[in-house]
Amino acid sequence: MPVYKAPVEDVMFLLNDVFPIERHNNLPGFADATPDTVEAILAEGAKLCEEVFAPLNLSGDQEGCTRNPDGSVTTPKGFREAYEAYAAGGWMGLAAPEEFGGQGLPSVLNTIMQEFVSSSNLALGMYPGLTQGAIAALIEHGTEEQKRTYLPKMIEGTWTGTMNLTEPHCGTDLGLLKTKAVPNGDGSYAISGTKIFISAGEHDMAENIVHLVLARIDGAPAGTKGISLFVVPKFLVKEDGSLGERNGVSCGSLEHKMGIHGNATAVMNYDGARGWLVGEANRGLNAMFVMMNEARLAVGVQGLAQSEVAYQNAVAYAKDRLQGRSLTGAKFPDKPADPIIVHPDVRRTLLSIKAFNEAGRAFIVWTGLNNDIAHRSSDEAQRQVAEDYMGLMTPVAKGVLTDLGFDNAVKAQQMFGGHGYIEEWGMSQFVRDARIAMIYEGANGIQAMDLVGRKLGKDGGRAVMTFFNEVGAFCQENAGDESLKAYIAPLQQGLGHLQQATMWFMQNAMAKPDNAGAGATDYMHLFGLVVLGYMWARMAKAAQVKKAEGNGVAEKMDAKLLTGRFFMERMMPETATRLALITTGADTTMAMPVEAF
Ligand SMILES: Cc1cc2nc3c(=O)[nH]c(=O)nc-3n(C[C@H](O)[C@H](O)[C@H](O)COP(=O)(O)OP(=O)(O)OC[C@H]3O[C@@H](n4cnc5c(N)ncnc54)[C@H](O)[C@@H]3O)c2cc1C
């Protein structure tokens, strides 16, 4: 049975020492989040994930979901009870507004909990995960009546939510969408069409399912400018809030898929289902983007989460598995062979995952705090910077954390040799589960295009310039600190490569957009390396301070500093390669005639 221990201590280092949460005491909800309270909350969350969610991961994968002849869906044994424990613990509404029954705590705590949940059981975690996205969309774009009708039930977890964008002929290009909405004349619409790949579209965990559905109102313009968003409950809700008759929406079938078997991926048929407009007509994508942005960050967290749990299992195995002798002589001469963790290649592999995980976690905590500032700060200037960062960092977090999350799950599987390929060890599941995160919520190639095509130039490049200035200023401030030299110099070099790549796009991609398209994925990864490098530099600085304070943490901080050095020496140099790839441009890529492929 795979192991999992939530990295609470590492998170507390981030929240106490690297990005002190106490500095944000002026934001609503933060005054209650004292370090002790935060630690207690996360320890509770860790317990739920380690003791309730994780033990159901392998069995949920093996059993999967079943669609019954009446169209209902049964989730794997134990999932319903585990979900009920999650809801009863108040986790769904941890950061949701108090007026609808939430706890109003910082959303960064929710982001951290998402990591623990996704590591322990990705498939199970998606049921509440999508609900939280739907809650966010309704808070921002729902009418007062819609908020009163749906939010309290969703926040207490008795109703769940979904997002319905994809149709058989359109995923990325939602402008092709065909689902129709015809006004019923009473303020509601009749929704008809087929949506595919709908996560948590049907299941047995909640009394009602609140579908957020993109559809085109009769007579609306073609393309993305004619798409509207509707709320379509599985059971209609009566005036008094109780459940009424079944709506015209049903699960036609479940997909058989590579991973996340415990999550029901449904084909949803809408046959004149009653729905109500959310936000303005023909501005549905705008409203859905609230949910999509929440979900993109959450999917980035899923990538990190799979990397973390796969790493923990690989380390346990590498300390236990005896094969061969150390190159420098036996380290455990009393044993028939040394554990494989003595071998440099094994250590290199494990360290590359560890160095990613710790920086990735810092990245999501930093982004989570920016998310809180963007939504809660009353300081206009501070809010603008945070909003800019959220826009800029969302595709980076989604694309980079999931690409590398999958790579790392494969690397961790490799540590098991042939045993990693055998299902019972659980490593195969981590690889299969991690794969989807690169695809849904906008495939990673699309994230890269979003970064290069939309986010870089937005507001005259304000967001990217602010980020360059922030990292540049950090490097300058700490350039004289000998103890940080090993971190600052490589970061500075990486930042230089990123700036050169950005300049290259400005000079070469305006007139020739294929240059941007061909270099986008490399640029996203170059950006990711600089962000992760910046996280390492900040962690190294905090670790030096903490080490100097004593308190028996020297060993832990030394390990932190060493991991950061590994990142700077062995991973950061990739920025040069990425820059070189970008600046080759699109000519060779685009020269190949279609028929020659
Ligand atoms: C398990 C699972 C769960 C899902 N859950 C949901 C859900 O809950 N709700 C929902 O609405 N959808 C969901 N999806 C759908 C998912 O979001 C889409 O599959 C994804 O957005 C890609 O769309 P597509 O499959 O139609 O691929 P396509 O859009 O056909 O893309 C195919 C490939 O072409 C590339 N491509 C397309 N256009 C461009 C372009 N302009 N430039 C460069 N490259 C391009 C893409 O990157 C991709 O690699 C889910 C999918 C799966 C498999």
Side-chain angles (χ1 to χ4, degrees):
M1 172 80 89
V3 294
Y4 176 62
K5 187 155 175 28
V8 176
E9 202 180 327
D10 199 36
V11 169
M12 292 315 297
F13 168 66
L14 294 169
L15 289 178
N16 287 336
D17 301 288
V18 186
F19 309 109
I21 191 165
E22 280 185 313
R23 279 197 201 145
H24 304 285
N25 263 349
N26 58 331
L27 297 181
F30 276 65
D32 295 335
T34 60
D36 286 350
T37 311
V38 168
E39 194 162 1
I41 291 171
L42 295 180
E44 267 311 300
K47 201 164 151 220
L48 177 73
C49 293
E50 291 162 6
E51 295 176 10
V52 180
F53 277 37
L56 297 171
N57 198 32
L58 200 57
S59 58
D61 179 58
Q62 285 160 354
E63 188 184 336
C65 295
T66 313
R67 180 184 176 276
N68 305 305
D70 64 356
S72 64
V73 168
T74 307
T75 53
K77 195 161 173 287
F79 269 39
R80 185 183 173 145
E81 293 75 12
Y83 173 76
E84 281 167 1
Y86 175 95
W91 295 105
M92 189 79 88
L94 190 69
E98 286 166 292
E99 62 171 311
F100 300 114
Q103 300 185 54
L105 285 162
S107 74
V108 65
L109 300 187
N110 195 44
T111 306
I112 292 160
M113 184 62 181
Q114 279 171 351
E115 186 202 322
F116 299 174
V117 165
S118 302
S119 281
S120 58
N121 196 324
L122 181 58
L124 177 52
M126 285 172 66
Y127 295 92
L130 280 149
T131 307
Q132 288 178 332
I135 290 170
L138 285 171
I139 288 175
E140 205 150 318
H141 292 283
T143 62
E144 283 312 309
E145 193 190 337
Q146 286 168 351
K147 288 182 196 177
R148 273 198 318 276
T149 306
Y150 298 107
L151 289 177
K153 291 288 189 184
M154 293 170 84
I155 286 170
E156 75 182 20
T158 40
W159 299 357
T160 58
T162 69
M163 60 191 296
N164 290 240
L165 293 77
T166 308
E167 298 181 6
H169 62 287
C170 78
T172 304
D173 189 356
L174 291 168
L176 302 172
L177 187 142
K178 285 184 187 158
T179 297
K180 264 196 335 197
V182 180
N184 285 325
D186 61 356
S188 71
Y189 290 78
I191 312 287
S192 301
T194 300
K195 296 285 179 180
I196 62 164
F197 299 160
I198 304 308
S199 299
E202 179 59 53
H203 58 81
D204 54 2
M205 292 180 174
E207 292 167 8
N208 202 4
I209 303 178
V210 180
H211 302 289
L212 290 186
V213 184
L214 288 182
R216 200 181 293 283
I217 298 174
D218 242 7
T224 51
K225 294 208 163 72
I227 298 175
S228 303
L229 179 64
F230 297 88
V231 57
V232 186
K234 172 178 166 184
F235 288 100
L236 295 170
V237 185
K238 293 190 206 156
E239 290 266 314
D240 65 358
S242 63
L243 295 184
E245 61 190 87
R246 181 75 197 250
N247 203 355
V249 46
S250 58
C251 165
S253 63
L254 291 184
E255 305 293 353
H256 298 278
K257 55 193 193 291
M258 176 177 173
I260 52 165
H261 291 155
N263 195 269
T265 307
V267 173
M268 299 303 296
N269 296 323
Y270 291 84
D271 299 308
R274 284 184 76 190
W276 287 265
L277 188 64
V278 178
E280 283 175 52
N282 299 334
R283 301 261 301 144
L285 268 187
N286 184 45
M288 191 56 123
F289 254 110
V290 175
M291 182 162 188
M292 281 152 76
N293 282 332
E294 288 271 326
R296 282 176 180 179
L297 284 176
V299 171
V301 173
Q302 291 178 353
L304 165 68
Q306 291 304 290
S307 178
E308 172 65 31
V309 69
Y311 167 78
Q312 288 188 16
N313 283 277
V315 168
Y317 191 81
K319 287 180 179 172
D320 191 54
R321 176 73 171 168
L322 306 180
Q323 291 292 296
R325 286 294 182 195
S326 159
L327 295 175
T328 50
K331 295 289 176 288
F332 294 83
D334 51 323
K335 295 188 173 171
D338 283 336
I340 59 171
I341 198 156
V342 304
H343 303 308
D345 191 57
V346 168
R347 299 173 74 92
R348 174 193 64 81
T349 307
L350 292 175
L351 267 169
S352 68
I353 312 176
K354 181 175 166 64
F356 165 82
N357 289 351
E358 293 178 20
R361 185 166 302 115
F363 182 23
I364 63 156
V365 166
W366 182 61
T367 310
L369 282 168
N370 274 316
N371 200 14
D372 276 316
I373 295 167
H375 284 99
R376 302 185 189 205
S377 176
S378 53
D379 178 333
E380 184 85 23
Q382 194 192 31
R383 208 173 53 223
Q384 186 189 76
V385 171
E387 274 171 11
D388 283 355
Y389 275 1
M390 291 311 293
L392 184 67
M393 297 300 168
T394 298
V396 181
K398 198 290 183 178
V400 174
L401 296 184
T402 62
D403 271 359
L404 295 180
F406 174 74
D407 286 356
N408 287 343
V410 173
K411 283 182 187 167
Q413 181 189 38
Q414 188 76 9
M415 296 299 90
F416 282 69
H419 302 273
Y421 202 67
I422 306 301
E423 290 293 340
E424 71 184 80
W425 285 92
M427 300 309 285
S428 156
Q429 185 189 356
F430 297 140
V431 171
R432 289 186 285 102
D433 284 0
R435 184 68 182 87
I436 186 57
M438 301 160 73
I439 299 171
Y440 58 19
E441 280 319 318
N444 283 356
I446 302 303
Q447 302 301 325
M449 285 304 292
D450 178 43
L451 175 66
V452 170
R454 291 181 58 230
K455 302 296 172 59
L456 279 190
K458 193 162 179 280
D459 304 311
R462 189 175 69 202
V464 76
M465 290 316 294
T466 309
F467 176 66
F468 290 169
N469 289 340
E470 178 176 331
V471 180
F474 182 87
C475 290
Q476 224 162 19
E477 272 163 37
N478 296 287
D481 185 338
E482 255 324 283
S483 72
L484 289 178
K485 210 168 161 188
Y487 308 89
I488 300 297
L491 174 60
Q492 221 155 10
Q493 194 170 42
L495 177 65
H497 292 150
L498 181 60
Q499 286 168 322
Q500 285 175 58
T502 310
M503 185 61 76
W504 191 87
F505 277 146
M506 282 166 67
Q507 290 165 348
N508 296 280
M510 302 282 193
K512 206 168 158 191
D514 280 344
N515 278 334
T521 290
D522 289 306
Y523 185 84
M524 179 177 77
H525 280 283
L526 168 51
F527 210 113
L529 283 163
V530 173
V531 172
L532 296 180
Y534 178 46
M535 295 297 110
W536 265 120
R538 291 191 62 161
M539 286 193 286
K541 185 172 173 156
Q544 298 282 17
V545 172
K546 203 168 163 70
K547 190 178 158 186
E549 284 168 0
N551 303 328
V553 295
E555 248 174 61
K556 287 213 163 101
M557 291 304 107
D558 279 342
K560 184 62 85 183
L561 289 162
L562 216 48
T563 312
R565 276 186 90 110
F566 180 91
F567 182 90
M568 292 300 178
E569 287 172 11
R570 309 277 308 218
M571 296 164 82
M572 201 66 185
E574 192 187 322
T575 56
T577 311
R578 295 286 184 181
L579 173 64
L581 295 173
I582 291 163
T583 54
T584 60
D587 290 350
T588 315
T589 307
M590 299 314 287
M592 184 76 81
V594 171
E595 52 285 0
F597 275 92

